[in-house]
Amino acid sequence: MSTDSQQNTHRSSALEFKSSTFSVPVLVLASNDVVIIEQQLQEKVQLAPEFFKNSPLVFDLQELNKRDVEINVAELTHIIRKLDLLPIGIRGGTAQQNQQALELGIPIHAGHNMSAASGTEKQQTPKPEAVFEPQAVSAATTTLITLPVRSGQRVYAEGDLIILAQVSAGAEILAEGNIHVYGSLRGRALAGVLGNTAARIFCSDLQAELISIAGNYKISEDLNGTVLNQPVQIYLQNHALVIKDI
Amino acid sequence: MARIIVVTSGKGGVGKTTTSAAIAMGLAKKGHKTAVIDFDVGLRNLDLIMGCERRVVYDFVNVINGEATLNQALIKDKNCDQLYILPASQTRDKDALSQEGVGKILEELKKDFKYIICDSPAGIEKGAHLAMYFADDAFIVTNPEVSSVRDSDRMLGILSSKSRRAEQNEDPIKEYLLLSRYSPDRVKLGEMLSVDDVQEILSLHLLGVIPESKSVLSASNAGIPVILDEKSDAGQAYADIVARYLGEEKPHRFIDEKKGLFGKLFGGK
């Protein structure tokens, strides 16, 4: 450390390596006919010329290699460059294609789960333990709250949320699962916040400022007199919130 | 065992300082040695309401900074020798208070006093936070109107999540509702929330209702806590509140409208 700082007194560091992630369009090829590729790629580019102009691009040959269809990497690169796109990588190529790409100054991206070189070992069946994972998630613990949730307070539950007191106006309760409020619900209640459309909200007295299930929401103004101050359940049906008495 | 009581509300102008002064005087009059601290650093008012503004030498911030001892800064009340006032500094702001400093002063006061009343500033920032942080009991002063009720609710949330008792997982702060500036006539006209409305929203134990009263303003201007005005309704309401807090059973008053002459003559219910 001391030597570093001594060096730094003489000259500050001119460079530094940092890791970064970029979002780059990937061109997945389904045909090796370069004429058709050029034609269709040109059509795509014309849809949004400003977006594609000088855009970096990675081309993906996995689909072709699955079917053992050969393509000339040099020709493909030429077409891409002609359309003002900048190829910055190859993915899913065979050893030979990768070598061709490197000679053209195009780096190789590993990508996909399988190694790029082994063209035959594709479409691995999903690991069996993956099937059990959702069950583990749905077993997330239930959060129980016995005191009033006051204005300005925020409660987040990873599973279901049960509140045995009131939720004041200006309070916010969120759950990845269902929400039960055995008291007046005057604040904001958001169930299924990670997109669980089967989540429901149950409350014994609906006066909420906002209710939401998986992002579909209604504000207090949308609640009509027949459901206000009533014990209700709220659920999602065809992307619409349904409020029904219990 | 000494108890620390915070008088708080969130909203300003609801009667926190009036209540602090009245409650402190009421407890002291009952023979309990009581200290009342003004946490509103920069907007010092309690000394005016208590009528001791001309005897302030050292203040709360001086004691925190070690520029004066607690005994030098405490002002003995001229009406009751069981009551002491620790005034706020007028020339500083809330940043002059520190949690360690406030904690140390309260620990020292606990050795000597039975009740320590913390008069909170309005808002939910540093001054209000420190006033409630060490509390055992909280008096929530609320006016019967929606914004005051909402702010009280917010303050209740802070009491239950950010106080020392909450952070150390001890028994929660005991919360009491004091509904001030209540006017039964205006409730009847629908201009004000009723006791029931407020209680439904806050679901809190009602310690007492203090009626809107001219005696509060004149007592403040005279620098005499309104509780000493035994003829006034507000003074009686505060006396009831102190008695209830100390465990006496007292029926609630000042909730129904006063009957006019005819009402009295022909007797209602």
Side-chain angles (χ1 to χ4, degrees), chain A residues 34-39 41-42 45-46 52-55 57 74-87:
Chain A
V34 286
V35 180
I36 295 177
I37 291 173
E38 179 174 0
Q39 191 190 341
L41 187 59
Q42 188 162 22
V45 169
Q46 274 169 354
F52 283 110
K53 190 165 172 72
N54 294 331
S55 164
L57 185 91
E75 259 183 84
L76 178 65
T77 310
H78 176 71
I79 294 168
I80 294 172
R81 288 210 169 113
K82 207 166 81 179
L83 292 168
D84 282 336
L85 292 159
L86 302 171

Side-chain angles (χ1 to χ4, degrees), chain A residues 147-153 166 168-170 184 186 205 207 209, chain B residues 150 153-158 160-161 172 175 200-204:
Chain A
L147 293 169
V149 184
R150 301 289 184 181
S151 186
Q153 287 187 313
Q166 63 171 347
S168 295
S184 297
R186 301 196 181 93
D205 174 15
Q207 300 177 36
E209 293 172 330
Chain B
R150 167 79 58 95
D153 194 51
R154 177 88 170 95
M155 191 39 97
L156 285 163
I158 293 170
S160 63
S161 58
E175 301 154 343
E200 202 207 308
I201 299 172
L202 293 179
S203 53
L204 205 58

Side-chain angles (χ1 to χ4, degrees), chain B residues 57-87:
Chain B
V57 183
Y58 294 110
D59 58 48
F60 197 13
V61 174
N62 292 137
V63 183
I64 285 186
N65 293 344
E67 295 151 5
T69 66
L70 198 49
N71 283 333
Q72 284 176 305
L74 283 170
I75 304 169
K76 194 177 191 174
D77 188 78
K78 53 183 186 246
N79 291 304
C80 181
D81 60 2
Q82 296 288 313
L83 179 59
Y84 289 80
I85 298 121
L86 183 56

Side-chain angles (χ1 to χ4, degrees), chain B residues 69-131:
Chain B
T69 66
L70 198 49
N71 283 333
Q72 284 176 305
L74 283 170
I75 304 169
K76 194 177 191 174
D77 188 78
K78 53 183 186 246
N79 291 304
C80 181
D81 60 2
Q82 296 288 313
L83 179 59
Y84 289 80
I85 298 121
L86 183 56
S89 173
Q90 183 71 349
T91 53
R92 313 291 280 274
D93 61 33
K94 269 76 173 172
D95 290 332
L97 298 176
S98 67
Q99 190 156 307
E100 300 83 6
V102 172
K104 241 170 87 185
I105 290 180
L106 289 174
E107 274 310 309
E108 216 177 317
L109 286 170
K110 275 170 105 170
K111 291 180 200 153
D112 239 8
F113 289 88
K114 181 80 200 299
Y115 293 106
I116 301 151
I117 317 279
C118 301
D119 179 23
S120 171
I124 53 173
E125 280 75 40
K126 194 170 184 187
H129 177 82
L130 289 174

